[in-house]
Amino acid sequence: QVHLVESGGGSVQPGGSLRLSCSASGAINSVYYMAWFRQPPGKEREGVATVYIRGGHTYYVDSTKDRFTITQDKVKNILYLQMSNLKPEDTAMYYCAAADLILPNFWAPEYYKYWGQGTQVTVSS
């Protein structure tokens, strides 16, 4: 089992920045990928960024790749999402997820076995 706890969400004005954190514990050695997903109000969960933690390769969806950065602290087992130039459409519940297999699709939530409880990000003036 892998336990994930997100933190760092909040309210910010358009153009602002936030850094989300995801603290991981448990069977970390079983994990291949860790990712950030988000779920805007009334919409389906969507991928934001993912990292192959064994090699460090990172992947982003087009809407975030120039504004968001996913990083990992392997010593502390913390995953980060640095978000800059935030837009109202970034408003969502943000979730940390972990997968214990080689992903055929980075952005399909069903392939991620472990999930955190989420942290809310609101971008509004």
Side-chain angles (χ1 to χ4, degrees), residues 10-34:
S11 295
V12 63
Q13 292 186 342
S17 299
L18 278 176
R19 189 178 77 162
L20 306 182
S21 301
C22 172
S23 180
S25 60
I28 304 298
N29 291 338
S30 68
V31 174
Y32 284 80
Y33 295 87
M34 291 190 72

Short mmCIF file of all heavy atoms in Angstrom, two decimals, residues 10-34:
data_model
loop_
_atom_site.label_atom_id
_atom_site.label_comp_id
_atom_site.label_asym_id
_atom_site.label_seq_id
_atom_site.Cartn_x
_atom_site.Cartn_y
_atom_site.Cartn_z
N GLY A 10 -4.99 26.41 -2.22
CA GLY A 10 -5.48 27.66 -1.67
C GLY A 10 -6.09 28.52 -2.74
O GLY A 10 -6.34 28.06 -3.86
N SER A 11 -6.32 29.77 -2.40
CA SER A 11 -6.89 30.74 -3.34
C SER A 11 -5.82 31.70 -3.79
O SER A 11 -5.01 32.16 -2.98
CB SER A 11 -8.03 31.50 -2.67
OG SER A 11 -9.10 30.64 -2.34
N VAL A 12 -5.82 32.00 -5.07
CA VAL A 12 -4.81 32.89 -5.64
C VAL A 12 -5.43 33.68 -6.78
O VAL A 12 -6.39 33.23 -7.41
CB VAL A 12 -3.59 32.06 -6.13
CG1 VAL A 12 -3.99 31.12 -7.26
CG2 VAL A 12 -2.43 32.95 -6.51
N GLN A 13 -4.89 34.85 -7.03
CA GLN A 13 -5.38 35.67 -8.13
C GLN A 13 -4.79 35.19 -9.46
O GLN A 13 -3.71 34.58 -9.48
CB GLN A 13 -5.00 37.13 -7.89
CG GLN A 13 -5.74 37.77 -6.72
CD GLN A 13 -5.46 39.25 -6.61
OE1 GLN A 13 -4.50 39.76 -7.17
NE2 GLN A 13 -6.32 39.95 -5.88
N PRO A 14 -5.46 35.49 -10.55
CA PRO A 14 -4.90 35.13 -11.87
C PRO A 14 -3.49 35.70 -12.03
O PRO A 14 -3.21 36.84 -11.64
CB PRO A 14 -5.88 35.78 -12.85
CG PRO A 14 -7.18 35.81 -12.10
CD PRO A 14 -6.80 36.08 -10.67
N GLY A 15 -2.62 34.87 -12.58
CA GLY A 15 -1.22 35.25 -12.73
C GLY A 15 -0.35 34.86 -11.56
O GLY A 15 0.88 34.96 -11.64
N GLY A 16 -0.97 34.41 -10.49
CA GLY A 16 -0.22 34.03 -9.30
C GLY A 16 0.37 32.63 -9.39
O GLY A 16 0.24 31.94 -10.41
N SER A 17 1.01 32.23 -8.29
CA SER A 17 1.70 30.94 -8.24
C SER A 17 1.32 30.19 -6.96
O SER A 17 0.96 30.80 -5.95
CB SER A 17 3.21 31.14 -8.26
OG SER A 17 3.62 31.80 -9.44
N LEU A 18 1.41 28.88 -7.05
CA LEU A 18 1.24 28.00 -5.89
C LEU A 18 2.13 26.80 -6.07
O LEU A 18 2.43 26.40 -7.21
CB LEU A 18 -0.21 27.51 -5.78
CG LEU A 18 -1.28 28.39 -5.14
CD1 LEU A 18 -2.63 27.71 -5.25
CD2 LEU A 18 -0.95 28.72 -3.70
N ARG A 19 2.55 26.20 -4.96
CA ARG A 19 3.26 24.93 -5.01
C ARG A 19 2.50 23.91 -4.20
O ARG A 19 2.29 24.08 -2.99
CB ARG A 19 4.69 25.06 -4.49
CG ARG A 19 5.51 23.79 -4.74
CD ARG A 19 6.94 23.90 -4.28
NE ARG A 19 7.06 23.75 -2.84
CZ ARG A 19 8.20 23.46 -2.23
NH1 ARG A 19 9.31 23.27 -2.95
NH2 ARG A 19 8.24 23.36 -0.92
N LEU A 20 2.12 22.84 -4.87
CA LEU A 20 1.46 21.72 -4.20
C LEU A 20 2.50 20.69 -3.81
O LEU A 20 3.50 20.50 -4.51
CB LEU A 20 0.42 21.09 -5.12
CG LEU A 20 -0.64 22.01 -5.70
CD1 LEU A 20 -1.63 21.19 -6.53
CD2 LEU A 20 -1.34 22.80 -4.65
N SER A 21 2.23 20.02 -2.70
CA SER A 21 3.10 18.95 -2.22
C SER A 21 2.29 17.69 -2.03
O SER A 21 1.11 17.74 -1.67
CB SER A 21 3.77 19.33 -0.90
OG SER A 21 4.54 20.50 -1.02
N CYS A 22 2.93 16.56 -2.25
CA CYS A 22 2.32 15.26 -2.02
C CYS A 22 3.33 14.40 -1.27
O CYS A 22 4.36 14.02 -1.83
CB CYS A 22 1.93 14.60 -3.33
SG CYS A 22 1.35 12.89 -3.17
N SER A 23 3.00 14.10 -0.03
CA SER A 23 3.87 13.28 0.78
C SER A 23 3.48 11.82 0.63
O SER A 23 2.31 11.46 0.85
CB SER A 23 3.78 13.71 2.24
OG SER A 23 4.61 12.93 3.05
N ALA A 24 4.44 10.99 0.26
CA ALA A 24 4.17 9.57 0.02
C ALA A 24 4.81 8.72 1.09
O ALA A 24 5.92 8.98 1.54
CB ALA A 24 4.70 9.17 -1.35
N SER A 25 4.11 7.66 1.48
CA SER A 25 4.64 6.71 2.45
C SER A 25 4.14 5.32 2.10
O SER A 25 3.20 5.15 1.33
CB SER A 25 4.22 7.10 3.87
OG SER A 25 2.81 7.10 3.99
N GLY A 26 4.79 4.33 2.71
CA GLY A 26 4.40 2.95 2.45
C GLY A 26 5.31 2.29 1.43
O GLY A 26 6.51 2.51 1.44
N ALA A 27 4.73 1.51 0.55
CA ALA A 27 5.48 0.69 -0.41
C ALA A 27 5.93 1.52 -1.62
O ALA A 27 5.56 1.23 -2.77
CB ALA A 27 4.64 -0.49 -0.86
N ILE A 28 6.75 2.52 -1.36
CA ILE A 28 7.19 3.43 -2.42
C ILE A 28 7.96 2.68 -3.49
O ILE A 28 7.90 3.03 -4.68
CB ILE A 28 8.04 4.56 -1.83
CG1 ILE A 28 7.28 5.30 -0.73
CG2 ILE A 28 8.47 5.53 -2.92
CD1 ILE A 28 6.04 5.96 -1.19
N ASN A 29 8.71 1.66 -3.11
CA ASN A 29 9.52 0.92 -4.06
C ASN A 29 8.70 0.22 -5.14
O ASN A 29 9.24 -0.20 -6.17
CB ASN A 29 10.39 -0.10 -3.34
CG ASN A 29 11.48 0.57 -2.52
OD1 ASN A 29 11.85 1.71 -2.79
ND2 ASN A 29 11.99 -0.12 -1.52
N SER A 30 7.40 0.09 -4.92
CA SER A 30 6.54 -0.56 -5.91
C SER A 30 6.04 0.41 -6.98
O SER A 30 5.43 0.00 -7.96
CB SER A 30 5.32 -1.19 -5.22
OG SER A 30 4.45 -0.19 -4.71
N VAL A 31 6.30 1.70 -6.79
CA VAL A 31 5.74 2.74 -7.66
C VAL A 31 6.64 2.99 -8.86
O VAL A 31 7.86 3.11 -8.72
CB VAL A 31 5.52 4.03 -6.86
CG1 VAL A 31 5.08 5.16 -7.80
CG2 VAL A 31 4.47 3.81 -5.79
N TYR A 32 6.02 3.11 -10.04
CA TYR A 32 6.74 3.49 -11.25
C TYR A 32 6.50 4.96 -11.61
O TYR A 32 7.42 5.66 -12.02
CB TYR A 32 6.28 2.63 -12.44
CG TYR A 32 6.82 1.22 -12.44
CD1 TYR A 32 6.26 0.23 -11.65
CD2 TYR A 32 7.91 0.89 -13.24
CE1 TYR A 32 6.77 -1.06 -11.67
CE2 TYR A 32 8.42 -0.39 -13.27
CZ TYR A 32 7.83 -1.36 -12.47
OH TYR A 32 8.34 -2.63 -12.50
N TYR A 33 5.26 5.41 -11.50
CA TYR A 33 4.92 6.77 -11.88
C TYR A 33 4.18 7.45 -10.74
O TYR A 33 3.38 6.82 -10.04
CB TYR A 33 4.00 6.80 -13.10
CG TYR A 33 4.62 6.29 -14.37
CD1 TYR A 33 4.59 4.93 -14.68
CD2 TYR A 33 5.21 7.15 -15.29
CE1 TYR A 33 5.15 4.45 -15.85
CE2 TYR A 33 5.77 6.68 -16.46
CZ TYR A 33 5.73 5.33 -16.74
OH TYR A 33 6.29 4.87 -17.90
N MET A 34 4.42 8.74 -10.62
CA MET A 34 3.59 9.58 -9.75
C MET A 34 3.11 10.77 -10.57
O MET A 34 3.85 11.28 -11.43
CB MET A 34 4.35 10.05 -8.52
CG MET A 34 4.66 8.92 -7.56
SD MET A 34 5.29 9.49 -5.97
CE MET A 34 3.79 10.20 -5.25
#
